[in-house]
Amino acid sequence: MGYVYCTTVFVFLQDWVALNSSLGLTNAIIFSFLAFMCLIAFFASVFIDPGGVPSSFAPEMENPQTKKGKSQYCDKCCAYKPPQTHHCRVCRRCVLKMDHHCSWIGNCVGYANYKSFISCIFYGSVASIYSAVIFFCDTLHREHGFRSIALKLFNVLSGLALIVLTITISSLFVWHIYLLSKNLTTIEYREAARAAWLAKKCGQNYRHPFDLGVYSNLKSILGSNLLKWFCPLAIGNVKDGTQFPISND
């Protein structure tokens, strides 16, 4: 993140329009804001506990969630677990609404820090696209008289790194937006895909039991206040994570 920021602002942007110009300063402020928000969201994803199963948790037999879900007992933790909860082999515990264990943040992506993770890859995607645009504008709008092979190699490698980063993180963001719209986690997607295939084979339609519709699904993670959707630290909508509304279909 530091490398991309420094090369974008102090090399490509400076070389393209100069930082002391109004256009250069405006672009530097916008890109710095995106990088700052990405950094804040990154550290929030690292330090916010994704959520563990309360020691007092026990499933209610009359709860419709237990009827629609699978067995709510974890053999590794030797304890009951809520719906959408999965055991992480790395963390060695059950994580509420676990999506995956992310080695980049050294933490599980789960119920409590999922919004921060989404915010991180959102701002990372926008910032990487912004950086790539600045790089190409610098490359195409100026005649570079590279004095050495090292400078030419630096530009080529930096451009390749930006392209790979942009494609990777943007694809990850689009993937998680799709999961958000269906109220699925990465783990549940595999199970839902198989269930949908089996249902189609039997001439039936399958719908994930926690799929409440696109807007309701987004609101359940990002919050009901649209203005706070883009703030990675606005997680006031997070509850205990042991119960979730289910669809009536």
Side-chain angles (χ1 to χ4, degrees):
M1 292 171 69
Y3 173 80
V4 171
Y5 178 81
C6 291
T7 54
T8 300
V9 176
F10 301 111
V11 178
F12 303 128
L13 187 58
Q14 169 66 25
D15 190 49
W16 176 33
V17 291
L19 291 175
N20 56 3
S21 66
S22 58
L23 181 60
L25 182 60
T26 301
N27 279 280
I29 291 174
I30 295 174
F31 184 74
S32 296
F33 170 77
L34 294 173
F36 176 74
M37 292 301 293
C38 181
L39 192 65
I40 292 296
F42 173 79
F43 282 115
S45 302
V46 172
F47 292 110
I48 293 178
D49 189 342
V53 180
S55 58
S56 59
F57 174 79
E60 299 176 8
M61 293 307 172
E62 61 273 10
N63 191 332
Q65 294 189 14
T66 60
K67 298 178 182 179
K68 287 196 174 185
K70 293 184 178 180
S71 174
Q72 300 303 310
Y73 190 81
C74 178
D75 294 329
K76 297 178 181 178
C77 293
C78 298
Y80 288 100
K81 59 182 181 180
Q84 296 188 289
T85 299
H86 301 277
H87 187 88
C88 176
R89 292 176 294 178
V90 180
C91 297
R92 296 181 180 179
R93 65 165 181 163
C94 284
V95 177
L96 298 174
K97 202 174 183 179
M98 177 183 172
D99 187 87
H100 68 286
H101 185 92
C102 182
S103 58
W104 293 104
I105 65 174
N107 194 9
C108 267
V109 176
Y111 177 66
N113 67 344
Y114 191 41
K115 180 182 178 179
S116 301
F117 177 77
I118 291 293
S119 299
C120 180
I121 58 177
F122 165 72
Y123 286 110
S125 299
V126 178
S128 60
I129 293 172
Y130 203 108
S131 178
V133 170
I134 291 175
F135 169 77
F136 283 114
C137 287
D138 174 43
T139 303
L140 298 175
H141 288 77
R142 291 181 64 88
E143 295 183 2
H144 290 277
F146 295 112
R147 300 177 182 177
S148 65
I149 298 178
L151 288 175
K152 183 180 291 187
L153 185 63
F154 169 78
N155 267 49
V156 171
L157 292 179
S158 296
L160 288 174
L162 282 174
I163 293 172
V164 172
L165 178 65
T166 301
I167 294 175
T168 302
I169 198 168
S170 298
S171 301
L172 182 64
F173 175 68
V174 171
W175 166 245
H176 277 279
I177 286 298
Y178 168 76
L179 292 178
L180 268 177
S181 67
K182 300 294 184 180
N183 204 3
L184 288 167
T185 64
T186 301
I187 297 174
E188 291 171 339
Y189 171 79
R190 306 188 192 103
E191 301 172 352
R194 176 173 174 77
W197 177 77
L198 291 174
K200 185 177 181 181
K201 193 175 180 180
C202 298
Q204 300 176 347
N205 293 323
Y206 171 80
R207 182 175 181 177
H208 184 54
F210 297 98
D211 184 3
L212 307 175
V214 176
Y215 179 69
S216 296
N217 293 337
L218 292 174
K219 191 169 63 173
S220 67
I221 297 297
L222 303 178
S224 56
N225 190 335
L226 296 179
L227 297 177
K228 295 182 179 180
W229 278 20
F230 301 98
C231 180
L233 299 179
I235 54 174
N237 60 304
V238 173
K239 300 177 182 178
D240 64 351
T242 60
Q243 289 188 349
F244 303 97
I246 57 177
S247 63
N248 296 322
D249 298 344

